[in-house]
Amino acid sequence: MDASLEHLIRLQEADVEAAQLRQSIAALPRHLATIEEKLRAQAQTVEQADKAIQGEDAKRRRLESDIKDQQQKIVKFRDQSSGVKTNEQFHALQHEITFAENEIRRLEDQELEIMERAEQLELNRQRARQDLSSHKAFVEREKESARKQTSEQQARLDALNKSRTELRSQVDEDLLADYDRISSSRGTGLARVQGQRCLGCQMHLRPQMWNQVRSGERIHCESCGRLLYFDPSLEPIPDPPIVEPSKRKKKAAVEATETDS
């Protein structure tokens, strides 16, 4: 393998890592935006729970006021009943008292329902507040982690860009232009061959191309168009051949077994 191709392989390794770092750096703000949006939604849940509880409290206060009004009516009707002179007036006041007592029971039933709803709403609000507090702490940890990770990744990317510039200067111009053209459409410009197969697209090579690549010729994959190269140091070690014993040795081993027996 010539030196220019070796530089190009190292360049591709740097290009791939740099692309991954840029994607990772770009993904961090999106990740933070997602968890912060969840934080805002949880804050809204707490706010809605507060409003719901306030609404139930307001209903309960109105009911308590209505109950007091009915209680005052009962007191007034009872005071009036002591001074009536006819049965008709007395029964009319008793009817009003009974109506007011029934109304009080109805209002108290509503008040009990409100108290039960308020109790459940309070439990929901407590859970929502706990979730909000927990997620706030999580968001702060993620922000700190993102700041540290971005700083480290940016430093690594700067080093890679410096290395890439140096490597590109060491590659033949025609070869570099060929690599850039393929990389722009395929993502990578080189592909290693192994076992008579292009590892870029997994297509098998014709025997002639397989031999050409192993001999160091610069050729392109007929399927994906990438520039192919062969690295014998990365080839898998073949399994040792299985040696079958000769028939004479087999016969001798059998006779020896029979003699021992």
Side-chain angles (χ1 to χ4, degrees):
M1 187 184 300
D2 60 58
S4 190
L5 187 56
E6 289 181 355
H7 292 318
L8 196 60
I9 293 171
R10 292 170 55 195
L11 174 61
Q12 177 163 282
E13 292 173 351
D15 283 345
V16 169
E17 185 180 354
Q20 292 172 344
L21 284 171
R22 285 192 294 270
Q23 290 178 356
S24 180
I25 292 172
L28 283 173
R30 293 194 295 270
H31 169 64
L32 293 178
T34 298
I35 61 177
E36 286 180 340
E37 178 60 31
K38 182 179 179 181
L39 185 64
R40 285 190 291 271
Q42 289 178 324
Q44 289 178 354
T45 299
V46 173
E47 183 179 350
Q48 291 169 357
D50 290 339
K51 290 181 178 179
I53 291 175
Q54 291 171 3
E56 294 299 324
D57 286 342
K59 291 177 184 178
R60 182 177 54 80
R61 287 193 296 271
R62 286 194 297 270
L63 287 174
E64 289 176 348
S65 177
D66 292 342
I67 290 172
K68 287 180 180 179
D69 290 341
Q70 296 299 325
Q71 289 171 341
Q72 290 172 358
K73 286 181 181 180
I74 292 173
V75 172
K76 183 181 69 173
F77 292 146
R78 284 176 177 168
D79 289 342
Q80 290 176 356
S81 64
S82 63
V84 297
K85 297 179 181 180
T86 64
N87 286 335
E88 183 179 327
Q89 291 176 334
F90 180 79
H91 288 307
L93 290 171
Q94 287 298 316
H95 176 75
E96 292 295 336
I97 291 172
T98 300
F99 179 82
E101 289 174 343
N102 290 335
E103 186 66 10
I104 288 174
R105 282 192 289 271
R106 185 183 69 81
L107 294 172
E108 287 176 342
D109 288 341
Q110 290 184 2
E111 185 179 21
L112 180 61
E113 292 175 359
I114 288 175
M115 292 173 65
E116 291 174 349
R117 286 199 301 271
E119 183 179 356
Q120 184 59 49
L121 287 170
E122 180 59 34
L123 291 175
N124 294 340
R125 180 169 66 174
Q126 289 178 5
R127 285 195 292 267
R129 285 175 173 174
Q130 289 173 356
D131 291 342
L132 178 61
S133 177
S134 176
H135 196 63
K136 277 183 178 178
F138 170 73
V139 169
E140 290 304 315
R141 290 195 301 270
E142 287 296 289
K143 284 183 177 180
E144 180 60 30
S145 175
R147 284 191 289 268
K148 181 179 179 181
Q149 186 176 343
T150 300
S151 176
E152 293 174 350
Q153 289 179 336
Q154 188 60 54
R156 175 58 181 164
L157 182 59
D158 292 343
L160 280 172
N161 287 333
K162 182 178 179 180
S163 176
R164 288 173 61 246
T165 300
E166 182 178 351
L167 287 169
R168 289 179 68 86
S169 67
Q170 297 172 346
V171 179
D172 295 340
E173 291 186 3
D174 292 342
L175 182 60
L176 185 61
D178 196 19
Y179 168 81
D180 288 339
R181 176 183 58 80
I182 302 170
S183 297
S184 63
S185 60
R186 292 290 184 179
T188 54
L190 298 176
R192 187 168 64 86
V193 296
Q194 179 178 301
Q196 203 173 334
R197 189 176 76 253
C198 168
L199 297 184
C201 63
Q202 303 302 318
M203 293 298 291
H204 280 271
L205 276 63
R206 291 184 290 107
Q208 180 182 353
M209 291 187 64
W210 172 237
N211 291 331
Q212 287 176 308
V213 175
R214 287 190 296 171
S215 66
E217 292 186 35
R218 297 178 184 175
I219 60 175
H220 296 82
C221 175
E222 293 178 315
S223 175
C224 66
R226 291 181 176 90
L227 185 64
L228 301 176
Y229 71 94
F230 176 75
D231 189 341
S233 66
L234 299 177
E235 285 292 294
I237 300 175
D239 295 331
I242 300 175
V243 179
E244 293 286 342
S246 64
K247 292 182 179 180
R248 181 175 297 177
K249 289 182 178 180
K250 284 183 178 180
K251 183 178 180 181
V254 171
E255 289 176 350
T257 302
E258 291 175 348
T259 301
D260 293 339
S261 61

